Amino acid sequence: MNYDNLKAIFNLGRPIIEDSKFSYIHYAYKYKPDNYRLITSGELFIRGRNLQIPQYLVQFMSFHGEAIMMANIIANKVINIVFRSINTNKEFMKVGNMKSTFYGLGKLSKDFKYGDTILLVEGHLDRDMMSTIFPNTLGIMTSHLSKNQVELLKGLTNKFILMLDNDEAGKKGQSYAKYQLKGCKISELKHDISLKDAGDLVKLDITNHSKFEEIVSDYKLQIELFNL
């Protein structure tokens, strides 16, 4: 699927203008990212009837009815879109080129240069939440870096903070990432024990904002100490 078609699909969606207890919508409402939109099956099938829509996406949207779209935008091109259902069935559908790229690569600081720090996390919401704390955050979209991702990272910089998920898969992936990035300066951001991943901060912002602010302050301090 070409970039123009992906962008046209994304443009079928609508901005998020109302808050919700659903983490993805709450994040989008609060921080106003330009790569989040809501879409219904009707908007996709009727307004997008002249677009190239994969059958697996048709089936996904027919089943769920509505989803939130998260576009990975690089140089004003929509490289891929992840659809996340917003009903009780937690499912994701990926459209576009997902291979060997990073979510958020197009959002690095304009003055980013070799030698600056990159924070690595796993998923979309992890990346988006941590980018509010540290802009140069990338989502690897898995618990293990691929060889191509490692080559790309080493071409970007030589300083990394690792913050993969706080579960068995994430801990194993983080340990292996340290080996893959050997020769670089590496730090590990310590998760708060109450959170499985960085995306859980969004839930905490909804349910316990004072605790949210406390953890965010701790994460900021850890990052600042590494960058001294």
Side-chain angles (χ1 to χ4, degrees):
M1 184 179 295
N2 64 48
Y3 299 143
D4 289 339
N5 195 73
L6 280 170
K7 189 172 185 178
I9 290 175
F10 180 68
N11 286 338
L12 294 174
R14 60 194 187 281
I16 295 166
I17 58 174
E18 293 183 3
D19 202 358
S20 168
K21 292 183 179 179
F22 180 58
S23 294
Y24 291 84
I25 293 179
H26 175 72
Y27 166 81
Y29 176 79
K30 181 174 181 178
Y31 295 102
K32 306 294 188 294
D34 62 2
N35 67 318
Y36 272 56
R37 290 192 179 180
L38 285 170
I39 191 167
T40 63
S41 55
E43 288 167 331
L44 181 64
F45 301 153
I46 297 172
R47 294 174 56 204
R49 58 185 175 275
N50 295 320
L51 299 177
Q52 179 188 349
I53 302 173
Q55 186 59 34
Y56 58 82
L57 179 57
V58 172
Q59 294 172 348
F60 177 88
M61 289 300 298
S62 295
F63 180 76
H64 291 290
E66 188 173 21
I68 189 166
M69 296 187 290
M70 293 165 280
N72 196 10
I73 303 172
I74 301 176
N76 202 37
K77 293 184 178 182
V78 176
I79 306 301
N80 54 59
I81 305 172
V82 169
F83 291 72
R84 168 52 161 97
S85 61
I86 61 174
N87 57 25
T88 55
N89 296 295
K90 179 183 176 180
E91 291 189 45
F92 295 87
M93 181 56 64
K94 303 172 183 178
V95 182
N97 179 21
M98 307 295 296
K99 188 177 181 181
S100 300
T101 187
F102 294 94
Y103 175 62
L105 188 60
K107 299 291 187 180
L108 292 177
S109 301
K110 291 182 179 179
D111 60 351
F112 180 85
K113 62 186 182 303
Y114 189 88
D116 289 346
T117 301
I118 288 177
L119 172 63
L120 295 175
V121 296
E122 285 194 31
H124 286 78
L125 197 57
D126 303 330
R127 182 268 158 197
D128 289 332
M129 187 63 244
M130 290 307 296
S131 73
T132 68
I133 298 171
F134 187 72
N136 295 326
T137 301
L138 298 179
I140 68 174
M141 308 318 301
T142 177
S143 60
H144 284 78
L145 288 168
S146 70
K147 290 181 180 179
N148 287 339
Q149 284 181 316
V150 172
E151 290 180 6
L152 177 55
L153 287 173
K154 288 185 174 181
L156 287 171
T157 191
N158 60 353
K159 287 181 66 178
F160 302 97
I161 300 175
L162 303 177
M163 192 190 184
L164 303 191
D165 286 2
N166 191 26
D167 57 16
E168 185 176 354
K171 289 174 182 177
K172 287 181 178 179
Q174 184 152 308
S175 178
Y176 190 53
K178 288 170 64 178
Y179 168 76
Q180 291 173 294
L181 295 168
K182 61 184 177 181
C184 300
K185 185 177 180 181
I186 298 172
S187 179
E188 297 179 82
L189 198 152
K190 185 177 180 182
H191 282 274
D192 184 88
I193 59 172
S194 66
L195 305 180
K196 173 187 171 292
D197 55 44
D200 281 347
L201 275 171
V202 184
K203 298 177 186 176
L204 196 62
D205 185 31
I206 299 169
T207 61
N208 189 342
H209 187 71
S210 61
K211 181 65 174 177
F212 165 83
E213 291 186 328
E214 178 185 324
I215 294 174
V216 166
S217 295
D218 174 63
Y219 288 173
K220 284 182 178 178
L221 179 60
Q222 290 186 59
I223 294 169
E224 288 171 3
L225 290 173
F226 176 69
N227 285 322
L228 288 177

